[in-house]
Amino acid sequence: MSEEKLSSKISGFYKLPVEERIEFVKKFAGLTEDEASLFSKSLDIETADKMIENVLGTFDLPIGVAVNFLINGRDYIIPMAIEESSVVAAASNAAKIARVKGGFKAEASEPLMIGQIQLLNIEDTEGAVKKIMDHKKEILDVANAQDKILVSLGGGAKDLEIRILDSPLGKMIVTHLIVDVRDAMGANAVNTMVEALAPIFEDLTGGKVRLKILSNLADKRLARAKAVFDKETIGGEKVVDAFLESYTLATIDPYRAATHNKGIMNGIDAVVIATGNDWRAIEAGAHAYAARNGRYTSLTKYYKNEDGDLVGEIELPLALGIVGGAGNIHPKAVLCKKILGVKTSRELAEIIASLGLAQNFAALLALSTVGIQKGHMSLHAKNIAVMAGAKGDEIDLVADKLVEEGNIKLDRAKEILEEIRNN
Ligand code: NAD
């Protein structure tokens, strides 16, 4: 194992025993003994009981860390909570390749969220729009009166945008309240504001407000990441060309794009969950954004630069919080944010966009070369070994034999287990 001080670049991390991995993360992130001990603890039942209704217990996922990430010149190890094998390894490997040409460059826009107010039964559409816009300042003031903390931090309601939509029920005026939510995900903050505005919109226009709710198509809160993947490191010009051929299908075919973007979300969701964020919101935003031009397409873009290296880019909405929601309540989410060392929601978005790009790059590289199954197989074999009843050391013994024989089947795993136990 080689290690540079406070670098996230480490080889052979996966070979270390769990305790040594925790020790590395503890040192990297400056965790206390108590914090480090949290990895092996489940969410306590009292906390769980306050989070949702009708609680019976908790549901655990494995949590691991992706290593090797260099983003905007800073080293990160990235916690990921996920049940699918190979995702963490693939992200770490992609990050290692990206480091060769300087890692990821990422940026996130201002944290602007959209709250929608749907206005119906309007006779004079133009007149109603004018009334709303004439009272913009008053409307923004009422919205901002709902969240003094947000305003004190420089956030709050900033603008109004109006859309007029034709519908089977007639014209609807849909007003977007644009809210800077600073370091929150912002759904509660925005929903409180738009609900408070509903009576004002009815008084001003004589219409009826129906919906008043956040939009998850957070297209004013975008994160972008870019990386150059060195052509020699990935196997030369032929591999770059094969990669671009694979990628192109995702740009033209929604059947492929759905799977391509699912691979991106493998990584993104895992960090979103680990940091206590709302992954349904992130999923909804990502897929709606992928279809923004009328046809569902890839969230990433790849091309060759003048040196023949592969350049990858990603852009998607990322409505993430480092305050509020479950992220402040779940002790492991608090811990994961400490491991990341994030100071703002924008920084978290930059990390997660970079990870999404890494994940997508790793999947496409495997698909364009050895195929996806090779990497999946050894962890898959371990799952099959567990299904066959293997425990402790038996798991690796059975899994290794399954991989060696190239026959990763449950019935064979049961036979091998029996042989081991008989010996
Ligand atoms: P929240 O209300 O828990 O916290 C946000 C509040 O924290 C802000 O309004 C502000 O008053 C305060 N705050 C303190 N320090 C802050 C800082 N530095 N930056 C910003 N705000 C700060 O949470 P939220 O982010 O408004 O809402 C997120 C929750 O809403 C998530 O749990 C999500 O699951 C849920 N939700 C989502 C949807 C949706 O996605 N459609 C709808 C409803 C609820």
Side-chain angles (χ1 to χ4, degrees), residues 12 16 49 57 61 75 109 113 177 181 203 253 288 313 335 368 374 416:
L16 297 177
D49 199 28
L61 282 174
D75 275 277
S109 60
M113 297 296 286
L177 178 73
V181 297
D203 285 351
D253 178 16
E313 294 178 7
L335 175 66
S368 312
K374 190 167 177 284
I416 298 169

Side-chain angles (χ1 to χ4, degrees), residues 55-67:
V55 162
L56 303 177
T58 59
F59 182 94
D60 287 332
L61 282 174
I63 183 158
V65 285
V67 294

Side-chain angles (χ1 to χ4, degrees), residues 43-100:
L43 181 66
D44 64 280
I45 195 72
E46 291 77 22
T47 306
D49 199 28
K50 289 192 192 84
M51 289 173 79
I52 64 161
E53 310 75 33
N54 301 351
V55 162
L56 303 177
T58 59
F59 182 94
D60 287 332
L61 282 174
I63 183 158
V65 285
V67 294
N68 301 327
F69 273 84
L70 183 66
I71 303 168
N72 294 337
R74 190 175 156 194
D75 275 277
Y76 292 94
I77 51 178
I78 306 181
M80 300 173 79
I82 185 165
E83 85 297 348
E84 189 175 342
S85 63
S86 303
V87 173
V88 178
S92 303
N93 192 39
K96 190 161 140 198
I97 297 172
R99 274 185 101 95
V100 175

Side-chain angles (χ1 to χ4, degrees), residues 147 150 153 181-189 191 216 278 323-325:
D147 203 328
L150 200 53
L153 295 166
V181 297
R182 298 283 87 198
D183 293 317
M185 181 271 182
N188 287 326
N191 289 342
N216 286 110
D278 182 338
V323 298

Side-chain angles (χ1 to χ4, degrees), residues 45-173:
I45 195 72
E46 291 77 22
T47 306
D49 199 28
K50 289 192 192 84
M51 289 173 79
I52 64 161
E53 310 75 33
N54 301 351
V55 162
L56 303 177
T58 59
F59 182 94
D60 287 332
L61 282 174
I63 183 158
V65 285
V67 294
N68 301 327
F69 273 84
L70 183 66
I71 303 168
N72 294 337
R74 190 175 156 194
D75 275 277
Y76 292 94
I77 51 178
I78 306 181
M80 300 173 79
I82 185 165
E83 85 297 348
E84 189 175 342
S85 63
S86 303
V87 173
V88 178
S92 303
N93 192 39
K96 190 161 140 198
I97 297 172
R99 274 185 101 95
V100 175
K101 294 271 163 157
F104 297 86
K105 303 279 174 285
E107 57 172 26
S109 60
E110 292 287 329
L112 296 178
M113 297 296 286
I114 297 167
Q116 295 194 296
I117 300 168
Q118 176 200 25
L119 198 53
L120 305 156
N121 306 341
I122 300 289
E123 278 163 23
D124 173 11
T125 309
E126 270 178 39
V129 169
K130 186 167 178 328
K131 279 213 173 111
I132 295 168
M133 283 325 238
D134 285 349
H135 289 81
K136 179 167 148 179
K137 186 177 174 321
E138 183 190 330
I139 290 169
L140 295 181
D141 286 348
V142 172
N144 283 328
Q146 311 307 313
D147 203 328
K148 299 236 162 61
I149 297 178
L150 200 53
V151 174
S152 75
L153 295 166
K158 299 290 180 190
D159 204 1
L160 295 179
E161 290 177 357
I162 297 191
R163 298 157 66 226
I164 296 161
L165 302 180
D166 286 318
S167 85
L169 306 177
K171 278 200 192 321
M172 293 178 187
I173 298 179

